[in-house]
Amino acid sequence: DAKTTQPTSMDCAEGRAANLPCNHSTISGNEYVYWYRQIHSQGPQYIIHGLKNNETNEMASLIITEDRKSSTLILPHATLRDTAVYYCIVRAINAGGTSYGKLTFGQGTILTVHP
Amino acid sequence: GAVVSQHPSWVICKSGTSVKIECRSLDFQATTMFWYRQFPKQSLMLMATSNEGSKATYEQGVEKDKFLINHASLTLSTLTVTSAHPEDSSFYICSARDGREGWAYGYTFGSGTRLTVV
Protein backbone atom coordinates (compact mmCIF):
# COMPACT_ATOMS: atom_id res chain seq x y z
CA ASP A 1 0.00 0.00 0.00
CA ALA A 2 1.12 3.54 -0.70
CA LYS A 3 2.62 5.41 2.23
CA THR A 4 0.86 8.50 3.49
CA THR A 5 2.23 11.58 5.21
CA GLN A 6 0.17 13.79 7.51
CA PRO A 7 0.98 16.68 9.83
CA THR A 8 1.36 15.60 13.43
CA SER A 9 -1.17 18.03 14.81
CA MET A 10 -3.55 20.83 13.87
CA ASP A 11 -5.78 23.26 15.68
CA CYS A 12 -9.13 24.61 14.60
CA ALA A 13 -11.62 27.04 16.11
CA GLU A 14 -15.09 25.73 16.75
CA GLY A 15 -17.46 26.55 13.89
CA ARG A 16 -14.68 27.02 11.38
CA ALA A 17 -13.68 24.61 8.65
CA ALA A 18 -10.94 22.12 9.45
CA ASN A 19 -8.75 21.21 6.48
CA LEU A 20 -6.59 18.17 7.04
CA PRO A 21 -3.97 17.44 4.37
CA CYS A 22 -2.51 14.11 3.36
CA ASN A 23 0.28 13.31 0.93
CA HIS A 24 0.25 9.99 -0.92
CA SER A 25 2.64 10.57 -3.79
CA THR A 26 3.18 6.85 -4.51
CA ILE A 27 -0.50 6.01 -4.86
CA SER A 28 -1.33 3.63 -7.68
CA GLY A 29 -4.28 3.52 -10.01
CA ASN A 30 -6.47 1.07 -8.11
CA GLU A 31 -5.91 2.58 -4.70
CA TYR A 32 -8.53 4.59 -2.91
CA VAL A 33 -7.97 7.22 -0.25
CA TYR A 34 -9.75 6.44 3.01
CA TRP A 35 -10.17 8.65 6.03
CA TYR A 36 -10.86 7.36 9.51
CA ARG A 37 -10.85 9.11 12.83
CA GLN A 38 -10.35 7.88 16.37
CA ILE A 39 -11.82 9.70 19.29
CA HIS A 40 -9.99 9.04 22.53
CA SER A 41 -10.40 5.47 23.83
CA GLN A 42 -12.70 4.42 21.02
CA GLY A 43 -12.30 2.35 17.88
CA PRO A 44 -11.65 4.12 14.56
CA GLN A 45 -14.67 5.49 12.74
CA TYR A 46 -15.02 5.56 8.97
CA ILE A 47 -15.42 9.07 7.56
CA ILE A 48 -15.16 9.03 3.79
CA HIS A 49 -13.27 7.54 0.88
CA GLY A 50 -12.62 8.41 -2.75
CA LEU A 51 -10.70 7.45 -5.87
CA LYS A 52 -10.22 10.58 -7.97
CA ASN A 53 -13.37 12.63 -7.81
CA ASN A 54 -14.19 14.88 -4.91
CA GLU A 55 -16.59 13.30 -2.49
CA THR A 56 -18.99 14.66 0.10
CA ASN A 57 -21.13 13.01 2.73
CA GLU A 58 -22.87 14.07 5.91
CA MET A 59 -19.62 14.10 7.84
CA ALA A 60 -17.04 15.63 5.54
CA SER A 61 -15.74 16.43 2.08
CA LEU A 62 -12.74 14.87 0.42
CA ILE A 63 -10.77 16.81 -2.15
CA ILE A 64 -8.29 14.79 -4.20
CA THR A 65 -5.80 16.56 -6.44
CA GLU A 66 -5.89 15.82 -10.13
CA ASP A 67 -2.62 13.88 -9.99
CA ARG A 68 -3.98 12.02 -6.92
CA LYS A 69 -0.77 12.57 -5.03
CA SER A 70 -2.44 14.42 -2.21
CA SER A 71 -5.85 14.98 -0.68
CA THR A 72 -7.58 17.14 1.89
CA LEU A 73 -10.29 16.17 4.31
CA ILE A 74 -12.61 19.04 5.08
CA LEU A 75 -14.84 19.22 8.14
CA PRO A 76 -16.98 22.22 7.15
CA HIS A 77 -18.06 23.36 10.60
CA ALA A 78 -15.85 21.79 13.24
CA THR A 79 -17.28 21.14 16.68
CA LEU A 80 -15.59 20.20 19.94
CA ARG A 81 -16.70 16.61 19.32
CA ASP A 82 -14.54 16.51 16.20
CA THR A 83 -11.41 16.56 18.35
CA ALA A 84 -9.74 13.27 17.43
CA VAL A 85 -6.86 11.63 15.59
CA TYR A 86 -7.52 11.58 11.86
CA TYR A 87 -5.96 8.86 9.75
CA CYS A 88 -5.47 9.01 6.00
CA ILE A 89 -5.04 5.51 4.54
CA VAL A 90 -4.55 4.37 0.97
CA ARG A 91 -6.08 1.05 0.14
CA ALA A 92 -6.82 -0.95 -2.99
CA ILE A 93 -10.25 -2.12 -3.99
CA ASN A 94 -10.63 -5.14 -6.19
CA ALA A 95 -12.51 -5.38 -9.44
CA GLY A 96 -15.68 -6.41 -7.62
CA GLY A 97 -15.72 -3.15 -5.73
CA THR A 98 -14.83 -4.57 -2.35
CA SER A 99 -11.84 -3.64 -0.29
CA TYR A 100 -9.51 -6.38 0.80
CA GLY A 101 -6.41 -7.06 2.85
CA LYS A 102 -5.37 -5.20 5.95
CA LEU A 103 -5.54 -1.54 6.89
CA THR A 104 -2.23 -0.08 7.98
CA PHE A 105 -2.40 2.98 10.19
CA GLY A 106 0.21 5.72 10.26
CA GLN A 107 0.52 8.24 13.07
CA GLY A 108 -2.34 10.39 11.83
CA THR A 109 -3.11 14.04 12.62
CA ILE A 110 -4.25 15.08 16.06
CA LEU A 111 -6.97 17.64 15.45
CA THR A 112 -7.88 19.81 18.39
CA VAL A 113 -11.00 21.92 18.09
CA HIS A 114 -11.09 24.72 20.63
CA PRO A 115 -13.88 27.08 21.66
CA GLY B 1 -24.63 0.25 8.25
CA ALA B 2 -22.19 -2.38 9.44
CA VAL B 3 -21.83 -2.75 13.20
CA VAL B 4 -19.12 -4.55 15.13
CA SER B 5 -19.60 -5.28 18.80
CA GLN B 6 -16.56 -5.82 20.99
CA HIS B 7 -16.74 -7.14 24.53
CA PRO B 8 -15.69 -6.43 27.20
CA SER B 9 -14.96 -2.73 26.92
CA TRP B 10 -12.50 -2.96 29.76
CA VAL B 11 -11.02 -5.68 31.92
CA ILE B 12 -8.58 -5.87 34.79
CA CYS B 13 -6.86 -9.17 35.41
CA LYS B 14 -4.10 -10.57 37.56
CA SER B 15 -0.73 -11.36 36.11
CA GLY B 16 -0.56 -14.94 34.87
CA THR B 17 -4.24 -15.30 34.06
CA SER B 18 -5.87 -15.41 30.64
CA VAL B 19 -8.36 -12.98 29.18
CA LYS B 20 -10.74 -13.50 26.26
CA ILE B 21 -11.99 -10.65 24.10
CA GLU B 22 -14.92 -11.15 21.72
CA CYS B 23 -15.62 -9.40 18.46
CA ARG B 24 -18.96 -9.86 16.72
CA SER B 25 -20.27 -8.55 13.44
CA LEU B 26 -23.93 -7.84 14.11
CA ASP B 27 -25.50 -7.29 10.73
CA PHE B 28 -23.10 -8.77 8.23
CA GLN B 29 -20.90 -11.77 7.75
CA ALA B 30 -17.24 -11.13 8.27
CA THR B 31 -15.03 -13.64 6.54
CA THR B 32 -12.00 -11.69 7.68
CA MET B 33 -11.35 -9.99 11.00
CA PHE B 34 -8.33 -8.07 12.19
CA TRP B 35 -6.92 -7.55 15.66
CA TYR B 36 -5.00 -4.41 16.56
CA ARG B 37 -3.17 -3.27 19.66
CA GLN B 38 -2.67 0.34 20.63
CA PHE B 39 -0.36 1.62 23.33
CA PRO B 40 -0.85 5.10 24.81
CA LYS B 41 -0.13 7.94 22.41
CA GLN B 42 0.69 5.49 19.62
CA SER B 43 -1.09 4.41 16.48
CA LEU B 44 -2.88 1.14 15.93
CA MET B 45 -0.59 -1.79 15.27
CA LEU B 46 -1.95 -4.81 13.47
CA MET B 47 -1.44 -8.01 15.42
CA ALA B 48 -3.12 -10.62 13.27
CA THR B 49 -5.61 -11.34 10.53
CA SER B 50 -8.13 -14.08 11.03
CA ASN B 51 -10.17 -15.80 8.38
CA GLU B 52 -13.22 -17.84 9.24
CA GLY B 53 -12.41 -21.50 9.51
CA SER B 54 -8.67 -21.20 9.15
CA LYS B 55 -5.63 -20.29 11.19
CA ALA B 56 -4.86 -16.68 11.87
CA THR B 57 -1.95 -14.93 10.21
CA TYR B 58 0.21 -13.10 12.73
CA GLU B 59 2.31 -10.04 12.09
CA GLN B 60 6.00 -10.24 12.67
CA GLY B 61 6.91 -10.07 16.32
CA VAL B 62 3.48 -11.12 17.62
CA GLU B 63 3.56 -14.36 19.61
CA LYS B 64 0.88 -16.66 18.28
CA ASP B 65 0.98 -18.88 21.36
CA LYS B 66 0.35 -15.91 23.60
CA PHE B 67 -2.35 -14.24 21.56
CA LEU B 68 -4.75 -17.01 20.55
CA ILE B 69 -7.22 -16.10 17.86
CA ASN B 70 -10.28 -18.13 17.01
CA HIS B 71 -12.64 -17.28 14.16
CA ALA B 72 -15.07 -20.16 14.32
CA SER B 73 -18.02 -18.48 12.66
CA LEU B 74 -18.73 -15.74 10.17
CA THR B 75 -19.83 -13.39 12.92
CA LEU B 76 -17.47 -14.09 15.81
CA SER B 77 -13.75 -13.85 16.39
CA THR B 78 -12.07 -14.09 19.76
CA LEU B 79 -8.67 -13.00 21.00
CA THR B 80 -7.34 -14.70 24.11
CA VAL B 81 -4.37 -13.17 25.86
CA THR B 82 -2.78 -16.09 27.68
CA SER B 83 -0.65 -15.77 30.80
CA ALA B 84 -1.07 -12.02 30.74
CA HIS B 85 1.66 -9.79 32.12
CA PRO B 86 1.68 -6.07 32.85
CA GLU B 87 3.41 -5.34 29.53
CA ASP B 88 0.33 -6.77 27.78
CA SER B 89 -1.74 -3.92 29.18
CA SER B 90 -3.02 -2.09 26.14
CA PHE B 91 -6.06 -1.11 24.11
CA TYR B 92 -7.12 -3.97 21.86
CA ILE B 93 -9.34 -3.25 18.86
CA CYS B 94 -10.95 -5.59 16.38
CA SER B 95 -12.05 -4.84 12.86
CA ALA B 96 -14.26 -6.81 10.54
CA ARG B 97 -14.18 -6.67 6.79
CA ASP B 98 -17.58 -6.54 5.22
CA GLY B 99 -17.15 -8.58 2.09
CA ARG B 100 -20.43 -7.73 0.46
CA GLU B 101 -20.00 -7.01 -3.21
CA GLY B 102 -19.63 -3.33 -3.83
CA TRP B 103 -19.35 -2.47 -0.14
CA ALA B 104 -16.27 -0.37 -0.50
CA TYR B 105 -16.49 0.97 3.03
CA GLY B 106 -14.88 -2.32 3.83
CA TYR B 107 -13.73 -2.12 7.41
CA THR B 108 -15.73 -1.56 10.55
CA PHE B 109 -14.12 -1.33 13.95
CA GLY B 110 -15.19 -2.42 17.38
CA SER B 111 -15.15 0.03 20.26
CA GLY B 112 -12.03 -1.50 21.76
CA THR B 113 -11.10 -3.29 24.98
CA ARG B 114 -8.89 -1.69 27.60
CA LEU B 115 -6.84 -4.46 29.23
CA THR B 116 -5.02 -3.75 32.46
CA VAL B 117 -2.86 -6.49 33.94
CA VAL B 118 -1.95 -6.02 37.59
Side-chain angles (χ1 to χ4, degrees):
Chain A
D1 294 331
K3 179 181 171 60
T4 62
T5 305
Q6 300 177 250
T8 301
S9 63
M10 296 183 66
D11 287 338
C12 177
E14 188 177 19
R16 303 297 294 271
N19 299 291
L20 291 86
C22 178
N23 286 323
H24 31 79
S25 58
T26 59
I27 193 170
S28 58
N30 68 335
E31 290 181 316
Y32 282 64
V33 180
Y34 282 82
W35 283 84
Y36 284 81
R37 73 179 182 184
Q38 185 180 25
I39 296 171
H40 183 63
S41 293
Q42 296 183 24
Q45 175 191 24
Y46 166 84
I47 301 173
I48 199 167
H49 74 284
L51 181 63
K52 54 183 179 181
N53 298 320
N54 297 337
E55 302 287 344
T56 296
N57 62 20
E58 64 278 4
M59 290 184 67
S61 294
L62 175 60
I63 308 298
I64 303 174
T65 58
E66 191 170 344
D67 62 8
R68 303 210 319 124
K69 293 184 177 182
S70 66
S71 61
T72 301
L73 177 73
I74 301 172
L75 307 179
H77 305 286
T79 71
L80 298 179
R81 287 174 293 182
D82 292 322
T83 293
V85 181
Y86 287 77
Y87 296 98
C88 168
I89 301 170
V90 175
R91 194 71 195 100
I93 290 182
N94 62 22
T98 55
S99 53
Y100 61 97
K102 55 191 179 184
L103 278 182
T104 301
F105 287 80
Q107 293 304 308
T109 296
I110 301 171
L111 174 68
T112 303
V113 181
H114 51 84
Chain B
V3 178
V4 171
S5 174
Q6 186 172 343
H7 180 81
S9 56
W10 61 271
V11 57
I12 301 173
C13 72
K14 290 185 177 180
S15 187
T17 62
S18 296
V19 174
K20 179 183 285 188
I21 302 170
E22 292 188 349
C23 181
R24 294 180 184 272
S25 57
L26 298 187
D27 50 1
F28 65 98
Q29 293 183 333
T31 55
T32 305
M33 289 188 174
F34 306 90
W35 287 95
Y36 293 83
R37 180 168 54 181
Q38 186 175 32
F39 292 107
K41 298 188 184 302
Q42 295 186 22
S43 187
L44 285 78
M45 292 180 57
L46 182 67
M47 299 175 66
T49 302
S50 73
N51 294 293
E52 185 267 336
S54 63
K55 290 183 178 180
T57 301
Y58 291 82
E59 296 297 303
Q60 190 172 8
V62 178
E63 301 174 58
K64 62 180 181 180
D65 294 329
K66 180 171 184 62
F67 299 99
L68 301 179
I69 292 172
N70 183 283
H71 192 165
S73 77
L74 287 172
T75 59
L76 174 65
S77 176
T78 61
L79 167 68
T80 301
V81 183
T82 63
S83 186
H85 290 285
E87 57 265 30
D88 298 323
S89 298
S90 188
F91 191 53
Y92 292 85
I93 307 167
C94 71
S95 173
R97 188 182 77 85
D98 188 334
R100 283 175 285 180
E101 195 72 17
W103 190 257
Y105 303 99
Y107 306 87
T108 304
F109 289 81
S111 55
T113 297
R114 175 75 59 193
L115 171 63
T116 302
V117 184
V118 298

